[in-house]
Amino acid sequence: MAGIVLRDLVKEFGSFAAVKGIDLEIHDGEFLILVGPSGCGKTTTLNMISGLVEPTGGDIVIGERVVTHTEAGERGLGMVFQDLALFPHMTVFDNIAFGLRVKNVDAGEIRRRVEEAAEAMHIAPLLDKRPGECSGGEAQRVALARTIVTNPSVYLMDEPLSSLDAKLRVDMRTELKHLHEQLGGTFVYVTHDQAEAMTMADRIAVMNAGRIEQVGGPLEIYRRPASHFVAGFFGIPTMNFLDGAVEAADGAMEFRGAGLTAPLDASVDSGLAGREAVLGVRSEHVLVVDADAPGATPATVSLIEPLGDATLLFFDHGGPRRMVAKVDPDLPVAAGDAIHVALDTGNIHLFDAEQGGRLN
Ligand code: ATP
């Protein structure tokens, strides 16, 4: 097993900086997910770890070794890509065995290891088939087995589930998490899908425009996003955002935005008074309240979306953007109803209006 350290890692393609100085410590045995929107530099970062892309600056340490300029084949890594790159003319057995044959492992040992990996990935009955005769999910497991069999200390995975249908993706998430527990190796996994990141990762590194904006456990990132960008990237529906300013009022602090004033809790620094800010609040922290409740704001229900276990209630409150509350499915409301809403004071996020960094 091996941990990975990235130090001030940079990749420039000509004058374009795809990765702008990343510092990241990936612990030995950890499932770390690099997540971010298309083009933010995730694959480039992973490819620098694997040795497929040469860094312009900085260092990569795997285990005890500085490998920044070491050949990919000498880094002891296992890789699984979106394009599975299985050999179509070979059986599943031969596909899985390929990496071992290249290393001249003896035939008995190859059979033992291939069968063990096929067992772990639930594809033992498929060993005589060819990849073209496997379903998408089965082919994905063949690709994983092919990697497992070489017994790497680090697994690098680039969007390995993206070609699967929605249902299979969800099933494979559980399987990958289970596989990580079973194998105990270090997993570094790239995806643009926040749900994959939330459900599988021990820790998530959120990338934006070539930089890491936050590293933390899934709940930490969800509950205490370090920036406006991270707050908006995680969570369905997307967090509500309101432009406005933090103000002092009667010895307390409040946020004043278009159509809505929200009391802020005592943890908000009085030094923020007068500061332009963006308020963020998740739908589950927008409450439907009585007209005389503290911070009650009049609103009109514009749309109801029942999810089954909860209902999304979209409303207009006089601000420029429609907001959404996640409410009890039995709440008797319909489009057009007049309601009052208030924000859960303990779950309000404040971000700098210009730079987007967290203020509270
Ligand atoms: P996606 O989810 O779309 O794969 P990503 O976050 O993995 O995105 P990268 O593939 O790392 O993004 O690319 C980061 C940026 O670097 C992009 O703007 C991309 O166009 C650019 N880039 C990547 N490889 C090259 C290259 N070989 N030459 C020039 N620019 C490149």
Side-chain angles (χ1 to χ4, degrees):
M1 299 218 289
I4 301 169
V5 179
L6 310 181
R7 274 193 222 117
D8 197 18
L9 199 61
V10 174
K11 181 63 194 179
E12 288 162 1
F13 295 106
S15 60
F16 175 73
V19 176
K20 300 171 182 166
I22 281 182
D23 290 297
L24 179 65
E25 196 163 329
I26 303 167
H27 307 143
D28 187 5
E30 179 172 47
F31 198 148
L32 182 120
I33 297 193
L34 279 173
V35 69
S38 184
C40 70
K42 310 176 293 285
T43 295
T44 304
T45 302
L46 195 79
N47 286 346
M48 286 194 277
I49 299 174
S50 71
L52 295 176
V53 165
E54 175 118 18
T56 313
D59 272 316
I60 303 168
V61 182
I62 300 180
E64 303 295 308
R65 284 172 70 211
V66 178
V67 297
T68 318
H69 303 289
T70 307
E71 290 290 319
E74 291 168 25
R75 297 190 187 192
L77 309 171
M79 294 179 236
V80 185
F81 297 106
Q82 177 183 347
D83 164 16
L84 304 178
L86 295 172
F87 299 113
H89 58 286
M90 287 187 190
T91 62
V92 166
F93 184 101
D94 289 335
N95 265 285
I96 301 174
F98 185 80
L100 299 176
R101 292 205 172 112
V102 170
K103 288 184 184 162
N104 292 322
V105 176
D106 81 66
E109 173 72 4
I110 289 179
R111 176 153 293 280
R112 190 186 65 73
R113 280 163 69 174
V114 170
E115 285 174 354
E116 199 177 274
E119 204 62 51
M121 291 317 300
H122 313 293
I123 50 169
L126 307 180
L127 288 173
D128 295 327
K129 287 192 173 184
R130 284 173 210 282
E133 299 167 302
C134 297
S135 71
E138 288 166 351
Q140 186 56 254
R141 284 188 221 143
V142 174
L144 281 164
R146 183 184 51 181
T147 307
I148 293 168
V149 85
T150 61
N151 203 16
S153 53
V154 174
Y155 291 80
L156 303 180
M157 305 189 185
D158 192 351
E159 305 256 8
L161 307 185
S162 58
S163 56
L164 305 181
D165 67 50
K167 162 91 174 70
L168 202 50
R169 282 179 81 127
V170 173
D171 292 347
M172 284 298 289
R173 283 196 322 226
T174 316
E175 287 198 23
L176 274 177
K177 197 165 172 168
H178 181 63
L179 186 70
H180 175 251
E181 280 163 16
Q182 215 179 326
L183 297 172
T186 306
F187 278 33
V188 187
Y189 186 105
V190 160
T191 181
H192 63 271
D193 180 342
Q194 52 132 347
E196 268 178 30
M198 288 291 285
T199 49
M200 291 193 295
D202 293 324
R203 283 190 313 153
I204 297 170
V206 190
M207 288 191 71
N208 181 27
R211 296 185 205 281
I212 292 181
E213 294 228 353
Q214 185 169 9
V215 183
L219 284 183
E220 182 186 347
I221 284 185
Y222 185 80
R223 290 181 180 159
R224 219 181 141 68
S227 66
H228 187 171
F229 171 81
V230 174
F233 191 78
F234 284 89
I236 299 170
T238 304
M239 188 183 274
N240 296 291
F241 292 112
L242 292 161
D243 298 325
V246 179
E247 303 289 355
D250 300 333
M253 302 292 282
E254 63 184 26
F255 175 88
R256 290 185 205 149
L260 188 148
T261 296
L264 298 171
D265 71 12
S267 68
V268 174
D269 184 356
S270 58
L272 291 176
R275 180 92 168 249
E276 283 192 14
V278 175
L279 177 147
V281 64
R282 295 206 184 277
S283 58
E284 61 267 35
H285 300 133
V286 180
L287 315 170
V288 175
V289 295
D290 292 335
D292 56 358
T297 300
T300 307
V301 178
S302 53
L303 187 73
I304 297 281
E305 274 184 10
L307 300 176
D309 58 342
T311 289
L312 296 181
L313 184 161
F314 293 84
F315 60 90
D316 293 306
H317 66 287
R321 283 192 289 263
R322 181 172 285 179
M323 291 179 68
V324 56
K326 191 181 268 183
V327 299
D328 187 318
D330 293 322
L331 188 76
V333 281
D337 284 0
I339 55 169
H340 284 82
V341 295
L343 311 186
D344 176 0
T345 312
N347 284 294
I348 285 176
H349 311 268
L350 296 172
F351 304 106
D352 184 85
E354 296 285 317
Q355 306 297 325
R358 189 181 183 91
L359 298 175
N360 64 327

